[in-house]
């Protein structure tokens, strides 16, 4: 009985901690912003779905999460020259105007289940590649960063990160 109760308490504590753990940092020196987001905070923003087939999954999936633009608005930041950072130290920089019109989302779910590190989460920048022919260009694959942990937005390329 004691072991079961202890196991239950540990599970509940882990679940609470997981929803309160910081998942994403939105940062900008030029805009004086340094905001941190938990899963719960990201889930409070309006959620949108993108149904796509991408090279890394080989089948169609539905991703759900807030628009990147809504996250920027929440942080009080303008997307300009972005550098996205992943948990595995991958990073990519590009002008946000290249993707803004496509309403990318920060995918938090895949087919109704929360993304995990194992499933390329907990955050994956998703572009609606099935809806726009131009997004089939390989460069857009580079922008769809999985295991996303930080987004830096500066006024121009090669600014302080």
């Amino acid at each position: 009985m004691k072991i079961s109760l202890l196991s239950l308490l540990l599970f509940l504590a882990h679940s609470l901690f997981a929803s309160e753990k910081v998942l994403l940092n939105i940062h900008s020196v030029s805009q004086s912003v340094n905001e941190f987001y938990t899963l719960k905070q990201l889930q409070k923003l309006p959620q949108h779905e993108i149904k796509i087939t991408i090279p890394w999954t080989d089948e169609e999936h539905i991703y759900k999460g807030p628009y990147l633009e809504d996250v920027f608005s929440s942080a009080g930041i303008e997307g300009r020259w972005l550098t996205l950072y992943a948990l595995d130290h991958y990073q990519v920089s590009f002008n946000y105007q290249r993707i803004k019109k496509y309403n990318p989302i920060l995918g938090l779910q895949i087919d109704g289940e929360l993304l995990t590190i194992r499933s390329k989460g907990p955050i994956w920048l998703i572009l609606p590649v099935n809806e726009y022919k131009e997004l089939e260009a390989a460069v857009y694959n580079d922008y769809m960063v999985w295991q996303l942990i930080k987004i830096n937005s500066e006024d121009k390329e090669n600014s302080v990160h």
Side-chain angles (χ1 to χ4, degrees):
M1 175 85 167
K2 288 182 183 181
I3 293 174
S4 297
L5 184 55
L6 180 59
S7 296
L8 178 62
L9 288 174
L10 287 173
F11 172 77
L12 292 174
H14 174 71
S15 297
L16 179 61
F17 175 73
S19 68
E20 297 301 320
K21 182 180 175 189
V22 170
L23 299 181
L24 182 66
N25 175 218
I26 303 291
H27 184 264
S28 175
V29 171
S30 63
Q31 298 176 65
S32 300
V33 171
N34 193 34
E35 294 292 324
F36 296 90
Y37 288 87
T38 63
L39 175 62
K40 187 184 279 187
Q41 289 170 310
L42 292 170
Q43 288 175 322
K44 284 183 181 178
L45 295 170
Q47 303 291 294
H48 305 277
E49 292 183 351
I50 295 178
K51 187 176 188 176
I52 61 170
T53 303
I54 49 181
W56 309 285
T57 61
D58 295 328
E59 56 187 47
E60 190 170 75
H61 293 284
I62 299 172
Y63 293 87
K64 185 176 180 180
Y67 284 138
L68 178 57
E69 187 63 26
D70 288 346
V71 176
F72 285 162
S73 293
S74 161
I77 198 171
E78 290 183 39
R80 296 179 181 159
W81 190 268
L82 303 183
T83 302
L84 280 59
Y85 299 88
L87 187 61
D88 66 0
H89 305 290
Y90 173 81
Q91 68 182 54
V92 63
S93 296
F94 57 91
N95 185 325
Y96 180 52
Q97 295 307 309
R98 291 192 77 178
I99 66 167
K100 183 178 179 178
K101 65 184 172 189
Y102 302 113
N103 289 319
I105 65 169
L106 294 182
L108 304 173
Q109 293 183 19
I110 181 172
D111 301 328
E113 299 290 328
L114 285 176
L115 283 164
T116 65
I117 289 175
R118 176 167 268 173
S119 62
K120 301 190 182 337
I123 302 173
W124 190 346
L125 181 77
I126 299 290
L127 290 164
V129 295
N130 289 15
E131 295 177 37
Y132 299 94
K133 187 81 170 155
E134 62 270 28
L135 292 178
E136 292 177 8
V139 68
Y140 292 103
N141 287 339
D142 296 342
Y143 301 164
M144 290 196 290
V145 176
W146 61 73
Q147 297 177 342
L148 182 64
I149 58 171
K150 181 179 179 181
I151 301 173
N152 193 72
S153 177
E154 298 302 340
D155 293 337
K156 59 185 179 180
E157 184 177 10
N158 297 324
S159 292
V160 176
H161 294 113

